Amino acid sequence: MGVHDGHRARMKERFRGHGLENFNDINALELLLFYAAPRRDTNGLAHALLERFGSFSAVLEANEQELLAVPGIGENAVTLLRLIPAVSRRYLLDKTPTNEPIDSAAAAGRYFIPRFMYETEEVVYALLLDARKRPVQCAAVSRGTVDAAEINARRLAEIALQYRASAVILAHNHHSGVALPSVEDETATARLSRALDLLGVELSDHIIVAGNDYISMRESGFMR
């Protein structure tokens, strides 16, 4: 038995018996890193990660290059740490109903918030709806842009025609932490609404998400 095996066994038993409630951030990361560094003292690695990034969530949101810059962190640890938010997001998406009508701002907010969990760049989604407001397809139409003005109207029109959508709901995220539309968001929304009108497709709403908060541009009077 290795020098750390007894400690690891106790940590795992503690988690199985009580969950993470009594673990601090160091211990939670230490436990997680057991599965990436089976023969190392992961407590030191956990300390190094939290000192570098400042918080548990920031560690999980760090990109590959940032993580590899921490001494002792190798590819296995990077893969595991990057996998946690991706799996969490997949779990939340799997619990989000995909066949219920999206016929209100509240329903749209519930639908989109999980899609933006752990995103580190701006993403714009187009949710395509059938005549009964049920989701047909949710497609990313832009990624890594500065604002919604970068959404390509032709691309959006092609997707709407491809899936024979009756209506579209746009959504994008704000990293500022404030779910309020910019002037560019308003201008782009009006432009895209006109483009869809030519196809006989309604732009039902534009949802802006910031963390667990969201705003409906239509409900808030920002859509003309």
Side-chain angles (χ1 to χ4, degrees), residues 106-174:
R110 288 193 301 270
Y111 184 92
F112 280 113
I113 283 176
R115 277 170 169 70
F116 294 107
M117 294 290 288
Y118 307 110
E119 283 289 358
T120 57
E121 58 186 1
E122 183 171 300
V123 186
V124 182
Y125 284 105
L127 175 60
L128 312 176
L129 306 175
D130 65 16
R132 297 172 64 183
K133 300 294 185 182
R134 294 175 304 186
V136 175
Q137 179 71 15
C138 187
V141 294
S142 180
R143 181 175 286 273
T145 58
V146 176
D147 54 55
E150 297 297 325
I151 304 170
N152 186 286
R154 180 174 179 177
R155 168 69 173 151
L156 182 60
E158 288 174 349
I159 295 173
L161 289 174
Q162 178 184 352
Y163 291 97
R164 299 180 181 179
S166 294
V168 172
I169 299 177
L170 290 174
H172 76 282
N173 54 326
H174 277 184

Side-chain angles (χ1 to χ4, degrees), residues 22-222:
N22 296 319
F23 281 66
N24 60 26
D25 289 346
I26 293 288
N27 292 153
L29 272 178
E30 179 185 4
L31 175 63
L32 182 60
L33 290 168
F34 286 171
Y35 301 95
R39 290 292 177 263
R40 292 198 56 177
D41 175 8
T42 60
N43 184 272
L45 292 178
H47 274 282
L49 285 166
L50 283 172
E51 288 171 7
R52 174 66 177 269
F53 298 107
S55 70
F56 186 86
S57 60
V59 171
L60 296 181
E61 292 171 358
N63 63 39
E64 181 174 349
Q65 290 72 30
E66 291 170 331
L67 290 169
L68 286 173
V70 177
I73 298 298
E75 291 184 1
N76 287 343
V78 169
T79 300
L80 181 62
L81 292 170
R82 299 275 290 156
L83 185 62
I84 298 304
V87 168
S88 300
R89 182 170 176 269
R90 178 67 63 88
Y91 170 78
L92 291 172
L93 287 173
D94 191 62
K95 291 177 69 68
T96 303
T98 57
N99 57 356
E100 295 181 0
I102 309 297
D103 53 5
S104 67
R110 288 193 301 270
Y111 184 92
F112 280 113
I113 283 176
R115 277 170 169 70
F116 294 107
M117 294 290 288
Y118 307 110
E119 283 289 358
T120 57
E121 58 186 1
E122 183 171 300
V123 186
V124 182
Y125 284 105
L127 175 60
L128 312 176
L129 306 175
D130 65 16
R132 297 172 64 183
K133 300 294 185 182
R134 294 175 304 186
V136 175
Q137 179 71 15
C138 187
V141 294
S142 180
R143 181 175 286 273
T145 58
V146 176
D147 54 55
E150 297 297 325
I151 304 170
N152 186 286
R154 180 174 179 177
R155 168 69 173 151
L156 182 60
E158 288 174 349
I159 295 173
L161 289 174
Q162 178 184 352
Y163 291 97
R164 299 180 181 179
S166 294
V168 172
I169 299 177
L170 290 174
H172 76 282
N173 54 326
H174 277 184
H175 283 295
S176 65
V178 179
L180 286 174
S182 64
V183 173
E184 291 80 8
D185 291 335
E186 293 185 62
T187 302
T189 302
R191 173 174 57 85
L192 295 168
S193 180
R194 290 193 297 270
L196 290 173
D197 279 344
L198 296 175
L199 305 176
V201 178
E202 176 193 9
L203 181 57
S204 297
D205 207 340
H206 189 159
I207 304 295
I208 299 175
V209 175
N212 291 318
D213 191 20
Y214 73 91
I215 191 172
S216 158
M217 288 185 62
R218 180 172 297 281
E219 191 175 77
S220 301
F222 290 102

